[in-house]
Each structure stands twice: as C-alpha cells, then as structure tokens.
Amino acid sequence: MNVIAPISTLQTEFRRHVVRHVDKTFDWDAFPSNRGYPELERAQMRYVGAGGSPKVGEAGTLAPEHFTLSLIYKHVGKYAACHAHEIEESFLIIQGVLTVGWERDGEVVEVRLGPGDMILNARDVGHGFRNDGVEPVLMSISVDVGKPLPPRYLYHPKMGIDPALARSFGAAPGKTLPFDPDGSHPLQQQMARYVIRRSEQPAIREASGVQRRVYVGPGGIESDTCRKDMLGVPAGVGVKPYARDVEDAFMVLEGSLTVGWEEDGRSVQTELGPRDLLLTPAGRRHWFRNDGIGPATVWNVVGTSAPETVRFEAA
C-alpha cells in the first residue's frame, strides 16, 4: 500500500510564496480612472501587491512589504496619461518597444525602451508611456513601497485636457525632446540618471558562474528604496543557500529556474518557468539552480537599497 507523506509546514509556506503565470489572469479594469477612455486601455497582472491599482488584497496575489510587482500589457497605439507618484516606480520591458515621457513645465523628454531596458521613474516627476510600436508591450512594473498612494494625474483626458495634449504627456507641438544622455536640457540630464540599457550595463560574473547586471543599486541607478538586478544563470549552475534581512523576489523571464527553501536540514523546491515568481521573506534561507538545457534570465528585486552583501557561492 502506498503511503502519502504529510505536507510539511515548510512546504505549505513555500507554496504560498510561489505565483504561477498560468494561474493568473490579466485585469483590463485595474485602473478605474481610465474607464470610458479606450485610448488608455491596459491590463495588469498582479503578483506582489496592487501597484498603482486600488484592487488591494486580491486572492492569489502576495502581500507586499517594501515593493510591489506586476505585469502590464499595452496594445499598439494605446497610452497611459501623465501622472506622478510619491515614490519611485520602475518599468522593465519584457516584450515590444515602449515610449516613456517625462514632463516638466509643459516640456517633455521621450525615451524609447526595448526588451531588457528599464527606467526608474523618479519621485514626483510627471511621466506617461505610449506604445508607438508594431507589437504589444509587456513590461514588469515595481512600485518601491508596499502600499503606494493613488497616482496624481497631470494630463488626463478626464480633466478636460485636449486629447492630443494628453497623448503627448502635456507637451504642446514643438515641446517634445528626444532622450539624449549627453543633452543639455535639465530634464534630459535628469532622465539620463534613471535609464538603464541592458546592452550597456556590465555583467558581473560571480564565482559560481552566475552573471549579475545591476539595474538599481550601487553600480546602477542610485536609489534609497530597493535594489534590482538582472541575473543570468547558465545551465547546470546553482548556488548555496543564503538569507537576507529583507524579502526578495525572483521572476523568471527566459528559461527555467529551480528554486528552494531550506530549514533545519530540510529542503523544498520547485521549478519556475517564464513569468513565474517566488517571493522569499526576510530571514529565510533560499537557493536556486538551473536544471534546464539553456540559460535562464531572472529579474531579482530586493527590498532594501543597502549595498549587496550576498555572494552567490557555487553549490
């Protein structure tokens, strides 16, 4: 007779912190302020917290602490109205090309971001985004506080703003500048400190073979909230268990990653595929390994701005 072993408390807790992409659905009504404006249509898939949506406490969405994390899907031709937050917010492009605009005093600087590129939208800076490409945009958004305040809209059509002005994020004709990291305009100079091009960010190779590209934190964009790295994990590479004093999240972007927790000599594990996520609480020993046949690309968000102390040691 087969005996089914009881599920341990560790296994139960571990499963609660894994979010499967196939178990989630995109919410096309995540932002009620956009109702009645089809040009603003976008969908959100919430993994950690609600982000800028008022839909907090959703079943199957993990409770936030120092950051939120969600996916945003944007059709070609649609845009998001210019708004500002009291805290920093990052856009990491997964698919497509996104135009992001920053506004100040009626002038706008626009930057185009492709897969692997990221912008950290600064606090209280008016920003919007638009899909001018030929394919839908999929991006990960993280707001760097557990429960952000509602966005403060600056140029939204519901305010009676001319539709063309709203679509240009508040810039009248002739008031839009292209992004130039060497430009002389103050808004260009400010934005240059908050844009990361994946192709330009050096890869730090750990002794384990893991590659780490710093997006936010020492060596990347300066911030006093959260760190964000892009990890490259070659096939067959794994790291020893480690713990942090804050939570961290892994979202697989490409390939697959086996992740696990360890406690009192016991270990539990699962495999994450593309757009699956594991959120590990502070103090929990955890590890990862690439058991696949190809490399894995993983987005890593850490709930502190303090310099990195973890060194990924080969398992």
Side-chain angles (χ1 to χ4, degrees):
M1 181 176 67
N2 293 328
V3 177
I4 299 176
I7 298 176
S8 68
T9 302
L10 180 64
Q11 181 75 27
T12 299
E13 187 68 10
F14 179 63
R15 289 179 177 176
R16 288 175 180 163
H17 284 78
V18 173
V19 182
R20 300 289 183 186
H21 179 66
V22 295
D23 293 335
K24 304 289 288 183
T25 57
F26 276 104
D27 179 3
W28 288 94
D29 189 38
F31 307 98
S33 60
N34 293 338
R35 291 172 184 165
Y37 299 96
E39 67 272 25
L40 300 178
E41 183 181 64
R42 68 182 182 272
Q44 182 192 40
M45 181 179 287
R46 294 175 284 275
Y47 285 74
V48 181
S53 172
K55 297 185 176 181
V56 299
E58 175 189 51
T61 297
L62 301 175
E65 188 174 352
H66 293 100
F67 58 83
T68 72
L69 195 152
S70 62
L71 294 180
I72 293 291
Y73 183 90
K74 196 79 170 173
H75 284 303
V76 173
K78 308 295 184 178
Y79 75 95
C82 186
H83 61 282
H85 295 283
E86 87 287 1
I87 196 67
E88 294 167 330
E89 172 191 48
S90 64
F91 298 164
L92 172 73
I93 311 306
I94 299 172
Q95 171 190 310
V97 176
L98 187 73
T99 298
V100 179
W102 280 16
E103 185 273 346
R104 181 188 298 165
D105 300 328
E107 293 184 302
V108 171
V109 172
E110 291 186 351
V111 62
R112 289 168 57 84
L113 305 173
D117 295 341
M118 194 207 78
I119 186 169
L120 185 68
N121 293 297
R123 302 177 186 188
D124 295 315
V125 171
H127 60 281
F129 55 91
R130 189 175 61 242
N131 184 354
D132 294 333
V134 297
E135 63 178 325
V137 166
L138 180 68
M139 63 178 170
S140 171
I141 289 186
S142 291
V143 181
D144 292 346
V145 66
K147 297 180 179 180
L149 297 175
R152 176 170 56 87
Y153 284 101
L154 306 177
Y155 297 93
H156 194 293
K158 70 179 181 180
M159 303 165 61
I161 300 294
D162 177 79
L165 189 65
R167 186 176 177 81
S168 65
F169 314 128
K175 294 293 185 179
T176 297
L177 289 79
F179 174 64
D180 180 356
D182 299 316
S184 60
H185 192 283
L187 198 54
Q188 288 177 321
Q189 294 176 351
Q190 182 183 17
M191 182 182 273
R193 302 196 303 269
Y194 288 86
V195 170
I196 289 286
R197 301 289 190 189
R198 185 187 184 281
S199 61
E200 298 173 358
Q201 199 62 3
I204 303 168
R205 183 179 292 276
E206 303 273 351
S208 61
V210 173
Q211 286 190 348
R212 187 201 311 258
R213 295 179 192 266
V214 179
Y215 277 55
V216 182
I221 300 169
E222 295 183 4
S223 171
D224 61 1
T225 54
C226 298
R227 288 203 318 274
K228 296 166 188 176
D229 296 336
M230 188 75 78
L231 304 180
V233 187
V237 167
V239 304
K240 292 181 179 179
Y242 64 93
R244 301 185 185 277
D245 57 6
V246 295
E247 83 279 24
D248 71 6
F250 291 146
M251 173 175 274
V252 175
L253 301 182
E254 298 175 351
S256 64
L257 192 73
T258 300
V259 293
W261 286 3
E262 181 183 274
E263 180 181 77
D264 298 330
R266 295 175 298 149
S267 183
V268 293
Q269 67 180 56
T270 193
E271 185 178 274
L272 303 180
R275 301 167 198 169
D276 291 344
L277 175 140
L278 171 68
L279 179 69
T280 299
R284 174 69 70 183
R285 287 175 60 78
H286 55 301
W287 52 269
F288 59 86
R289 183 179 65 243
N290 184 352
D291 293 326
I293 60 174
T297 303
V298 183
W299 184 235
N300 183 205
V301 183
V302 183
T304 180
S305 63
E308 180 64 275
T309 58
V310 170
R311 294 294 175 263
F312 294 135
E313 299 180 12

